[in-house]
Amino acid sequence: TAVIIGATSGIGKAVAISLLEKGWCVAVAGRRLQALESIREQYPDRTIIQQMDVTLDSAAEDLAAIMDNVSNKIIGMTGGAGAPDLLLYVSGVGYQNRELDMQKEIVTVRTNCEGMVRILVHFMKYVRIWKNDGIVTGKRPVQVGGSVSSVLLPGLTALASLRPIRRQRRCRAHT
């Protein structure tokens, strides 16, 4: 199971579609609800969607909702641990800024840096809670991918994050 933050376009959407085509369950999050719904329409039994803006404090609550949905899906499928196999953060913006407009730089930092820190800190707290409750065992580490450099090298960031994964739980459609 994967959680992809920034899945409404670009690398995030491409990775989500690729994983879904390979049989993964994927939770996708991003600002544009219509784009998320179009992914779920293609793979309704294996897609969880959550509208989220990583620049807002409410992103932590949105992530908690995603993790609850993912946990319930995993536990329903396997009866096992409720943590995902992969978190991929590829939410980001970038502008050409020849005029050196400070506001463009502030928006970039809020999304690419502050947003990533907000998501990763809350995700790691979530994993720690599950681990402390004895639900997540140390047998299967969670892969976390993403980088502030995702604006500069988005493809390398996403692909490098996927390489270490050798096994994942297959998602079965609920009947």
Side-chain angles (χ1 to χ4, degrees):
T1 304
V3 175
I4 301 176
I5 311 297
T8 58
S9 64
I11 292 294
K13 183 176 182 179
V15 171
I17 298 295
S18 177
L19 292 175
L20 286 161
E21 287 173 351
K22 290 178 171 72
W24 284 58
C25 289
V26 180
V28 292
R31 288 184 298 215
R32 294 187 308 275
L33 186 58
Q34 187 174 4
L36 299 172
E37 289 172 342
S38 74
I39 296 171
R40 183 170 56 187
E41 285 172 12
Q42 295 174 54
Y43 304 93
D45 295 329
R46 293 184 280 119
T47 305
I48 298 166
I49 66 170
Q50 179 69 46
Q51 188 173 25
M52 170 191 289
D53 183 339
V54 299
T55 65
L56 302 177
D57 289 336
S58 62
E61 295 167 15
D62 295 333
L63 181 63
I66 293 169
M67 299 310 295
D68 287 344
N69 286 330
V70 167
S71 297
N72 292 336
K73 191 163 205 89
I74 293 170
I75 290 168
M77 288 174 356
T78 67
D85 299 292
L86 170 70
L87 169 68
L88 181 63
Y89 182 93
V90 288
S91 186
V93 296
Y95 306 98
Q96 285 196 6
N97 191 6
R98 293 184 179 134
E99 299 80 30
L100 299 176
D101 177 353
M102 182 63 75
Q103 190 57 40
K104 284 183 178 179
E105 298 305 323
I106 297 297
V107 168
T108 301
V109 169
R110 286 191 68 222
T111 302
N112 299 358
C113 301
E114 181 183 326
M116 183 181 79
V117 169
R118 178 178 285 116
I119 296 302
L120 292 181
V121 166
H122 286 285
F123 179 78
M124 295 313 292
K125 284 181 181 179
Y126 170 86
V127 170
R128 183 183 297 163
I129 289 168
W130 278 79
K131 197 174 212 176
N132 289 342
D133 286 347
I135 298 170
V136 175
T137 67
K139 297 177 186 174
R140 186 179 54 82
V142 174
Q143 303 291 329
V144 178
S147 171
V148 175
S149 67
S150 63
V151 171
L152 300 175
L153 301 169
L156 295 178
T157 301
L159 294 176
S161 301
L162 294 175
R163 282 194 185 130
I165 299 173
R166 290 188 172 47
R167 295 182 337 157
Q168 78 278 350
R169 287 179 286 243
R170 292 288 179 182
C171 187
R172 292 184 286 264
H174 295 285
T175 56

